[in-house]
Amino acid sequence: MGGGESVVLSGQGLLPAQVCQQHRPQAQEVYPRRALEDALFGQRAGELFDGLLVLPWAPEDGGGGLSFYTFDDPCAPTLVGEVWADFMRESHTLAFGEVNGRTYLAVDYHESEDVGGVGFFDVTDPSDPKWVSQLALPDYHY
């Protein structure tokens, strides 16, 4: 794809779509201000979940969050929900799962050099995601 092309998010995955000459989203429009100041350049992951784009944003040493976007207009994404977590670490993968009718997202968890593992968000309502728990793994050292 050339520099001016956009993509449409669909059930078929990412498909080349149209050239968005009128408006191409800039990083400051897609990532929250704090992410741009603290974490943007440490994050290169994004996942599709239930028709939404989920963007994690956190530096390697912890403290970050998630943003959920719709793409009804692929040239102007709309923020649906956002959450901050002190112990979320840069995550290169996102794992979604359902337990008892609730949807959870697993991310990297980092509290200190010797305490870390897996953190969990409840994303059942993407407009109001919440950090709900963490699992410290033995022999963690970062």
Side-chain angles (χ1 to χ4, degrees), residues 20-74:
C20 296
Q21 297 297 336
Q22 298 170 358
H23 177 77
R24 287 184 57 212
Q26 301 298 310
Q28 64 269 22
E29 297 174 68
V30 177
Y31 284 90
R33 181 176 181 82
R34 177 149 191 170
L36 287 171
E37 293 170 356
D38 295 344
L40 175 62
F41 299 105
Q43 198 62 59
R44 296 291 183 261
E47 296 284 333
L48 293 177
F49 168 72
D50 198 25
L52 300 173
L53 176 64
V54 181
L55 294 176
W57 36 273
E60 287 188 27
D61 59 351
L66 302 169
S67 298
F68 293 79
Y69 288 90
T70 63
F71 280 84
D72 297 330
D73 176 352

Side-chain angles (χ1 to χ4, degrees), residues 2-132:
E5 290 184 59
S6 181
V7 294
V8 171
L9 303 177
S10 73
Q12 310 304 312
L14 297 175
L15 303 173
Q18 63 189 47
V19 177
C20 296
Q21 297 297 336
Q22 298 170 358
H23 177 77
R24 287 184 57 212
Q26 301 298 310
Q28 64 269 22
E29 297 174 68
V30 177
Y31 284 90
R33 181 176 181 82
R34 177 149 191 170
L36 287 171
E37 293 170 356
D38 295 344
L40 175 62
F41 299 105
Q43 198 62 59
R44 296 291 183 261
E47 296 284 333
L48 293 177
F49 168 72
D50 198 25
L52 300 173
L53 176 64
V54 181
L55 294 176
W57 36 273
E60 287 188 27
D61 59 351
L66 302 169
S67 298
F68 293 79
Y69 288 90
T70 63
F71 280 84
D72 297 330
D73 176 352
C75 295
T78 303
L79 180 66
V80 172
E82 197 167 75
V83 63
W84 167 266
D86 290 333
F87 300 124
M88 181 180 164
R89 182 184 172 270
E90 177 183 11
S91 296
H92 293 280
T93 60
L94 303 175
F96 293 90
E98 190 171 319
V99 177
N100 297 326
R102 311 259 344 142
T103 304
Y104 297 95
L105 170 60
V107 297
D108 288 1
Y109 155 64
H110 175 79
E111 190 169 332
S112 69
E113 285 186 11
D114 296 314
V115 179
V118 182
F120 300 94
F121 287 98
D122 182 334
V123 296
T124 305
D125 177 1
S127 69
D128 189 26
K130 293 178 175 37
W131 180 271
V132 292

